[in-house]
């Protein structure tokens, strides 16, 4: 082919020039990689610790995605099982982490933003309230038994009504108070634009986890010493009350100063009323007289006198 035509030489020269960079030092060389080749190193900003640390500190990696997808997560109709199933979609690690946060409040840290905002749940609050109900009822009966232990004339009668009374008090507090607080915050947000706002589910979650400290406290209330009981209730009240105060203060601090302080004081007073009321009713209240001889001795003495 090269012997017959003269245009084979230009083609060969063009190929030699393209394949020999040394022939033309000033030319630009373009290298095309094959599909099997992969670059070993690409210069640029590393996606290592710097970017990931910024995302972690700013919460751009998980929290923003969770908030953007929150509507899709709970978009099922409220009469379906899937709608309520999302409220219990939480793992054991998250529940334990939130319980730990309610027991060890950190000054200046928001409980909702640290533990709840990524995935508020009802699983933890429901079982915490249920456990607290039985802890109060059983401990109250056991405390009454220990107080009269050793009295020969005392006949122990378990008071099962304490279970229903404790359930009514605890669940009413864990649902009605957050509902009233949520309505109040929504009303104030319509008048004063606050930077921090909470949903009803987040408020219920905060109240539910704040009650966990009362479970071991109710068990220790079995100790038949009033001084010890009141010391325990003050410790529990200080821990759980600080969680509520530090959580809801950012939601009202932009409001009128008096209204903000009155809101926090009301929250703490209602919490105090719950703890002191449970202690006074289930443990310090005068029990019914279960001493038998007072009711049985009189008829026997009357019968003996008649004979």
């Amino acid at each position: 082919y090269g012997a017959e035509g003269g245009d084979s030489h230009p083609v060969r020269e063009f190929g030699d020039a393209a394949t020999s960079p040394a022939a033309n030092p000033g030319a630009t060389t373009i290298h095309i990689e094959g599909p099997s080749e992969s670059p070993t190193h690409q210069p640029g900003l590393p996606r290592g610790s710097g970017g990931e640390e910024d995302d972690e500190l700013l919460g751009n990696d998980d929290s923003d995605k969770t908030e953007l997808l929150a509507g899709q997560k709970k978009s099922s109709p409220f009469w379906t099982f899937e709608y309520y199933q999302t409220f219990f979609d939480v793992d054991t690690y998250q529940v334990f982490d939130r319980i730990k946060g309610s027991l060890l409040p950190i000054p200046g840290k928001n409980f909702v933003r640290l533990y709840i905002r990524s995935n508020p749940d009802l699983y933890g609050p429901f079982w915490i309230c249920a456990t607290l109900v039985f802890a109060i009822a059983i401990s109250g009966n056991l405390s009454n038994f220990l107080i009269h232990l050793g009295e020969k004339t005392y006949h122990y009668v378990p008071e099962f009504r304490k279970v229903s009374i404790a359930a009514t008090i605890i669940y009413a507090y864990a649902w009605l108070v957050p509902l009233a607080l949520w309505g109040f915050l929504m009303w104030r947000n319509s008048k004063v634009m606050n930077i921090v706002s909470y949903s009803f589910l987040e408020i219920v979650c905060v109240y539910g986890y704040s009650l966990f400290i009362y479970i071991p406290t109710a068990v220790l209330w079995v100790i038949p010493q009033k001084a010890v009981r009141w010391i325990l209730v003050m410790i529990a009240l200080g821990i759980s009350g600080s969680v509520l105060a530090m959580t809801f203060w950012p939601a009202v601090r932009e409001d009128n100063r008096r209204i903000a302080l009155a809101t926090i004081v009301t929250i703490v007073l209602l919490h105090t009323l719950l703890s002191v009321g449970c202690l006074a009713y289930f443990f310090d209240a005068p029990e019914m007289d279960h001493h038998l001889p007072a009711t049985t001795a009189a008829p026997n003495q009357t019968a003996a006198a008649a004979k």
Side-chain angles (χ1 to χ4, degrees), residues 200-274:
F200 173 67
L201 182 59
E202 290 173 342
I203 297 176
V204 172
C205 200
V206 173
Y207 268 85
Y209 282 103
S210 68
L211 294 176
F212 180 83
I213 186 62
Y214 288 101
I215 296 176
T217 303
V219 175
L220 294 177
W221 278 344
V222 175
I223 301 174
Q225 297 291 333
K226 287 188 177 182
V228 176
R229 291 175 178 177
W230 284 101
I231 292 174
L232 291 172
V233 76
M234 294 304 295
I235 294 175
L237 181 60
I239 294 176
S240 58
S242 62
V243 172
L244 296 178
M246 289 189 298
T247 301
F248 294 108
W249 173 249
V252 297
R253 65 184 174 187
E254 302 296 332
D255 205 335
N256 182 275
R257 193 71 174 179
R258 292 183 178 179
I259 296 178
L261 292 176
T263 303
I264 299 300
V265 170
T266 303
I267 292 173
V268 176
L269 283 179
L270 290 175
H271 206 62
T272 304
L273 182 63
L274 173 72

Side-chain angles (χ1 to χ4, degrees), residues 87-92 95 98 120-129 201 205 209:
F87 299 149
F88 295 85
D89 186 14
V90 65
D91 55 26
T92 306
V95 173
R98 294 170 183 183
D121 71 289
L122 293 180
Y123 178 85
F126 175 80
W127 287 111
I128 288 173
C129 291
L201 182 59
C205 200
Y209 282 103

Side-chain angles (χ1 to χ4, degrees), residues 10-31:
V11 173
R12 184 179 61 186
E13 292 176 359
F14 177 77
D16 295 339
T19 56
S20 178
N24 190 3
T28 302
T29 303
I30 300 175
H31 176 68

Side-chain angles (χ1 to χ4, degrees), residues 32-253:
I32 301 177
E33 297 180 353
S36 61
E37 298 178 359
S38 59
T40 59
H41 176 72
Q42 291 184 355
L45 293 176
R47 182 58 182 165
S49 59
E52 294 178 356
E53 289 178 358
D54 292 340
D55 290 340
E56 183 178 357
L57 292 175
L58 297 176
N60 296 330
D61 193 14
D62 295 327
S63 60
D64 292 344
K65 294 179 181 179
T66 304
E67 292 180 2
L68 290 174
L69 297 176
Q72 299 179 2
K73 181 180 178 181
K74 298 173 181 150
S75 59
S76 303
F78 70 92
W79 59 82
T80 60
F81 177 76
E82 289 77 11
Y83 177 81
Y84 298 97
Q85 187 179 12
T86 57
F87 299 149
F88 295 85
D89 186 14
V90 65
D91 55 26
T92 306
Y93 173 78
Q94 287 179 316
V95 173
F96 284 159
D97 194 40
R98 294 170 183 183
I99 290 174
K100 182 181 67 175
S102 67
L103 295 176
L104 301 172
I106 304 175
K109 299 296 183 179
N110 193 308
F111 183 78
V112 173
R113 291 188 178 274
L114 282 178
Y115 303 102
I116 295 177
R117 177 141 292 181
S118 61
N119 184 24
D121 71 289
L122 293 180
Y123 178 85
F126 175 80
W127 287 111
I128 288 173
C129 291
T131 307
L132 181 59
V133 166
F134 286 98
I136 291 177
I138 295 174
S139 299
N141 280 277
L142 185 58
S143 174
N144 184 31
F145 173 76
L146 293 177
I147 289 175
H148 299 282
L149 183 63
E151 298 181 7
K152 297 180 180 180
T153 59
Y154 178 75
H155 176 66
Y156 174 71
V157 177
E159 300 180 73
F160 296 104
R161 61 185 178 87
K162 288 185 175 182
V163 178
S164 58
I165 295 175
T168 303
I169 294 174
I170 297 301
Y171 278 102
Y173 175 82
W175 283 93
L176 296 182
V177 174
L179 179 62
L181 180 59
W182 173 73
F184 175 78
L185 293 179
M186 291 291 291
W187 173 62
R188 293 309 302 173
N189 283 336
S190 64
K191 296 181 177 296
V192 179
M193 183 60 66
N194 292 316
I195 300 177
V196 179
S197 61
Y198 302 130
S199 65
F200 173 67
L201 182 59
E202 290 173 342
I203 297 176
V204 172
C205 200
V206 173
Y207 268 85
Y209 282 103
S210 68
L211 294 176
F212 180 83
I213 186 62
Y214 288 101
I215 296 176
T217 303
V219 175
L220 294 177
W221 278 344
V222 175
I223 301 174
Q225 297 291 333
K226 287 188 177 182
V228 176
R229 291 175 178 177
W230 284 101
I231 292 174
L232 291 172
V233 76
M234 294 304 295
I235 294 175
L237 181 60
I239 294 176
S240 58
S242 62
V243 172
L244 296 178
M246 289 189 298
T247 301
F248 294 108
W249 173 249
V252 297
R253 65 184 174 187

